[in-house]
Amino acid sequence: MTYFVETDQFNQMISYHPYVTTGKEKKKIKYSLLDRIQEVLGSKWNRFKEGTRQAFDMICFLGTELGFVYAGDDYLAERHDISDRTIRNRLKELEELGQVIKVHRRTKRCNGRGKPIYLFVNHPYFTYWVELLGIDLKDFQTDFQTENAENPCESKEEERKKIPTYSLPKKQESNINISNNKIVQYVVNRVNDSIKKGTRIKYLSSYIDRMVRSLEWQALYAENRRQQALKQQQEAQNSKIIQDFLGIKKPETVPFYNWLEQ
């Protein structure tokens, strides 16, 4: 499903007060986004050209203040001496890995689809933009499942790797603490918006309920990812112990050359 950002919504988004303002704060947010991308890409990150890695760095930097980026593919490509096709492929990969979700600015041409806007899932403002744009995260999960159904040749292991980070986790018992600072920040954002518009706040309690559920969902997924990482680490250690015991040597890896990066 395609979500559109109306002109007044876009103006509100770009005029919103930044989450970070100082260079030190921007650097911290940028690396938190970039580190997460490197984590989900794994060894593939090292096979990218330097220009591609620099483009990722810039995309994360542009998203530090407000949690989204809308720079054009041609601008990023020219800035880092790579093709605009490479930029589009890498951004699509971030979508598939659940690091961003894509919405479109409204236009009168091209069936209403204007330039895309990429919202960073791991940015603190993500929940706020989801609320503002009326985004139902289940729609993105449905689109993702449909896309996989049209590509039956992929293995189950590959499908598991592509599950977006914003997919709803299974209910589980877990000791999860949600920061009160985040809740306060989102409420303050809502109040500030109402003040700017000169309107009264309606249904604030229901807004807080939805926001808390969204934060809880994010916390649950983070816990699931942590448990999976621990499991994978334990499996890798067990595998190494067995290989050492049986005297099995790890085969030498053949360097991978990515022709798409040319």
Side-chain angles (χ1 to χ4, degrees), residues 134-190:
I135 295 175
D136 188 346
L137 298 176
K138 293 180 181 178
D139 291 333
F140 290 90
Q141 174 68 5
T142 301
D143 292 342
F144 180 81
Q145 290 175 342
T146 302
E147 180 180 344
N148 280 350
E150 294 174 354
N151 296 279
C153 295
E154 295 182 346
S155 67
K156 292 183 178 179
E157 181 64 23
E158 291 173 337
E159 290 177 358
R160 284 196 295 269
K161 290 180 180 179
K162 291 184 179 179
I163 294 177
T165 57
Y166 45 79
S167 59
L168 296 176
K170 294 182 179 180
K171 187 176 181 180
Q172 67 175 41
E173 296 294 332
S174 179
N175 295 324
I176 296 176
N177 295 320
I178 299 175
S179 173
N180 291 331
N181 292 334
K182 287 186 177 181
I183 299 175
V184 172
Q185 183 63 56
Y186 290 129
V187 174
V188 170
N189 292 344
R190 186 61 176 267

Side-chain angles (χ1 to χ4, degrees), residues 185-226:
Q185 183 63 56
Y186 290 129
V187 174
V188 170
N189 292 344
R190 186 61 176 267
V191 173
N192 287 336
D193 284 345
S194 298
I195 293 174
K196 290 179 181 178
K197 294 179 180 179
T199 59
R200 298 182 62 185
I201 302 176
K202 297 181 179 180
Y203 311 115
L204 182 59
S205 60
S206 61
Y207 166 75
I208 295 176
D209 288 341
R210 291 195 301 273
M211 180 266 298
V212 171
R213 285 197 298 270
S214 179
L215 288 174
E216 182 182 24
W217 158 76
Q218 292 183 33
L220 282 170
Y221 189 82
E223 178 66 13
N224 284 340
R225 289 299 299 263
R226 189 182 71 83

